[in-house]
Amino acid sequence: MSDRMVFKVEGVGKKFCRSHRHSMFYGTCDVLRGMLGRPSHSQTLRAQEFWALEGITFGLRPGERLGLLGANGSGKSTLLRLLAGIYQPDAGRIEVRGKICALIALGAGFHPLLTGRDNVYLNGAILGMSKRAIDRCFEQIVEFAGVGEFLDAPVKTYSSGMYVRLAFAVAVHSNPKVLVVDEILAVGDAAFQKKCFEQVAALNEQGTALVFVSHSMSAVERLCTSALVLSRGRQAFQGKVREAVQFYSGTVGNGIVQNGAVPEPIGLGEVTFSNVCVYADGGAVADPNIEFGKDFVIQFDYKFLRVQTHDTQVRVWVRTIDGRDVQRLAFQECAFEDQSSYANVKILPLREAGTVKIKVLRPCLFPQTFRVDVAMAPVDRGIHLGGLNNAALFNIVHPRNPGMYFEYGNHTITEFEYSVTLS
Amino acid sequence: MVGNVVSSRELIWQLFKRDFLAGSKQSALGLLWILITPLVGIVSWVVMNAVGVLHPGEVGVPYPIYVLCGTTIWGMFMGFYSSAAASLTSAGGLLAQARFSHEALVAQQLAQAVIAALANLALLAAVWAVGGLSVHWSALWFPVSLLPLVLLGTGIGLIVSVFAVVVHDITKAVTTLLGLLMFATPVIYASNVPHDWLQRVIWWNPLTYLVGGARDLLLEGRINHMSSYAGAVAFALGLFFMAWRLFFLSEQKVAERL
């Protein structure tokens, strides 16, 4: 291992078994083989086994901050457990120099019936701290966690935020060489997350390396200097954090886009939609990656299959990938019956067929994947003449200039400003 | 292995304290349960003997004293077995969340068995004192004579703890077998029985000598079958060290299957 490395991962692989029955059998065989001093079948795949991680190679130097990016099931948590020494690799090797402190689950070893005070000592002991060392920093732990008045209450009465604050406070005071943090910080509120980031930065200056997993790319980009992208258990990319985030958004994230965008027709089928796409204003139509804060275009073609008999409203929804509404845009051919119109509804004539371009101005959407649903309906009725759910997906990616985030103040998503062009 | 236990002493203490405090917080009688369970067992054997259902044979001392000694000694064996067997499975999620010496889990579990054993020894001493029973000076070796027995229980428990992670039935199967084995060990009856096959099982059963030897020492001040006792001690120590080694080699590999 290079002199300056705190750990080095070389060609590491980890396999799991899909079938519990097979797993029981293999486990028994492996124990018996171990008893007889014979090697287990760790490097070969037996029936029902699969590689959850394969060929992972990287190293970390003191003070380095590595982000782990990847979709669900890509192997991030398995890799963290390998780094923390909880799992043993089935292939390759991991060399560690110094103490690794892993925050993989909320309050490892915390007992719900014991008080916060008792749990600080228990958790500290699990992290390898002596009682004397815990005594020395006890006040700092309590202050950092901000659980002062509840310190002698059982932790089962704590909120999840208090739980994670206490666990994180103990971990950062255990003086680790490497801090491994899974997504648990997402439980804390914004103020605590800020405090955590500052504490991590302070530890970092003292030479503590960080491995950080999060689905929040803004958090990864803010905390880490480099990143590793995992895709289906393989190392898809390793490099500077900005490049890794862009790679993840553009490649792995796009994988989600392509795989997930299975349009689902809705309504009476009296109007069809096609060529639905979302792209950066001024960018390539085929590129669904849009930089944070930049204008983008939602474009689609429509065609009425039957002669219009209604004043029609065009409805476009921007939703998160799991279906939560972010914004609804609508424009229609006339005002409502009472001649009113909603602030966000524009009045525009529709032809029998055409192309719609909706330009969304300065959207405050934070980096993640979104989906677009489109539909047309009579202004005065709830039924859809036609439409497509999951019509297109797009990624909001990090801005080249992180200062963009600050221009958006308290990060509240406000109603989109947009313009519509029909052709 | 020993080094791991020594270096984890603070963790062992914290885990012990955790289970002790948490257990006592949800219990009205707390530590008293250590005494209540064996006492109920003793009373039931004595009652069965008194009404003529149980014929223990010639035991040489009042039956309540005989059965008190026998069940106390057997209880220690089972206590250490159960504690060791639960060392990995009782830790559950903790093993999947943090890296620490797993020997600490065994030590913490055994510490609880030690507390229970000390409480039972105190009960035995109290009965001796209240009853004004005579005791030979050699009986001072009684606690030492229990060591091979508790090491055998611990050894069996360690083997079970490793396999129980992959196949849960192991714990139930071995616990049931050990429950049966009590009836093939002179715990509640004398070592001479009128049935040939049972007599042969008793003679071949190392627990006969480990339980009987310790009881002999307490009641008579000597171990009656010394050579057999020595053989049983060698068996117990051999199994314990083999089990400890097996645990050390396998625990990391199996713990991740929890």
Side-chain angles (χ1 to χ4, degrees), chain A residues 14 23-24 27-28 30-31 35 81 84-88 90 105 108-109 111 113-114 122 125-126 130-131, chain B residues 10-11 14-15 18 21-22 25-26 94-99 162-163 166-167 246 250 252-254 256-257:
Chain A
K14 183 72 192 167
S23 176
M24 279 166 41
T28 309
D30 289 347
V31 171
M35 280 171 74
R81 283 183 163 83
I86 295 166
Y87 288 169
Q88 297 292 301
D90 288 312
H111 196 293
L113 289 176
L114 299 188
L122 175 61
I126 289 170
S130 66
K131 183 177 180 299
Chain B
E10 300 214 28
L11 174 59
Q14 289 297 335
L15 290 171
R18 175 192 71 170
L21 288 178
K25 280 185 179 175
Q26 285 187 309
L94 182 57
L95 292 172
Q97 295 166 354
R99 170 77 182 133
V162 169
F163 284 100
V166 280
V167 187
L246 164 71
S250 314
Q252 182 66 44
K253 197 70 188 163
V254 297
E256 64 187 42
R257 291 176 183 271

Side-chain angles (χ1 to χ4, degrees), chain A residues 27-40, chain B residues 245-246 249-250:
Chain A
T28 309
C29 289
D30 289 347
V31 171
L32 291 172
R33 290 177 75 89
M35 280 171 74
L36 300 173
R38 300 183 68 181
S40 63
Chain B
R245 183 73 188 150
L246 164 71
L249 289 174
S250 314

Side-chain angles (χ1 to χ4, degrees), chain B residues 20-231:
Chain B
F20 185 78
L21 288 178
S24 62
K25 280 185 179 175
Q26 285 187 309
S27 167
L29 297 176
L31 272 179
L32 279 179
W33 282 110
I34 295 174
L35 302 177
I36 291 170
T37 312
L39 276 176
V40 169
I42 291 163
V43 167
S44 61
W45 296 123
V46 170
V47 169
M48 278 198 276
N49 175 239
V51 299
V53 176
L54 180 70
H55 303 286
E58 183 50 55
V59 295
V61 290
Y63 184 67
I65 298 298
Y66 186 84
V67 83
L68 172 66
C69 293
T71 52
T72 301
I73 295 167
W74 182 262
M76 287 182 199
F77 167 71
M78 286 302 287
F80 276 81
Y81 154 74
S82 315
S83 298
S87 50
L88 288 180
T89 47
S90 66
L94 182 57
L95 292 172
Q97 295 166 354
R99 170 77 182 133
F100 57 94
S101 165
H102 295 167
E103 284 90 340
L105 294 172
V106 180
Q108 181 262 138
Q109 286 283 333
L110 293 183
Q112 293 187 41
V114 168
I115 296 293
L118 290 175
N120 281 300
L121 285 178
L123 175 69
L124 212 54
V127 169
W128 241 253
V130 172
L133 299 167
S134 63
V135 61
H136 196 272
W137 66 267
S138 311
L140 290 174
W141 289 102
F142 173 65
V144 179
S145 71
L146 291 170
L147 277 177
L149 184 71
V150 298
L151 288 180
L152 180 63
T154 306
I156 297 171
L158 287 176
I159 296 171
V160 168
S161 75
V162 169
F163 284 100
V165 173
V166 280
V167 187
H168 290 207
D169 311 20
I170 294 284
T171 311
K172 287 176 186 163
V174 175
T175 306
T176 307
L177 274 177
L178 289 178
L180 276 176
L181 197 58
M182 190 187 94
F183 296 99
T185 307
V187 175
I188 54 165
Y189 54 77
S191 53
N192 292 316
V193 294
H195 305 283
D196 278 352
W197 63 270
L198 182 58
Q199 188 67 69
R200 271 200 295 277
V201 172
I202 290 172
W203 289 133
W204 282 103
N205 177 5
L207 285 163
T208 297
Y209 309 104
L210 295 175
V211 173
R215 183 172 49 202
D216 292 347
L217 203 57
L218 186 63
L219 296 176
E220 302 173 35
R222 64 190 169 86
I223 294 172
N224 287 326
H225 304 281
M226 194 53 176
S227 57
S228 300
Y229 178 78

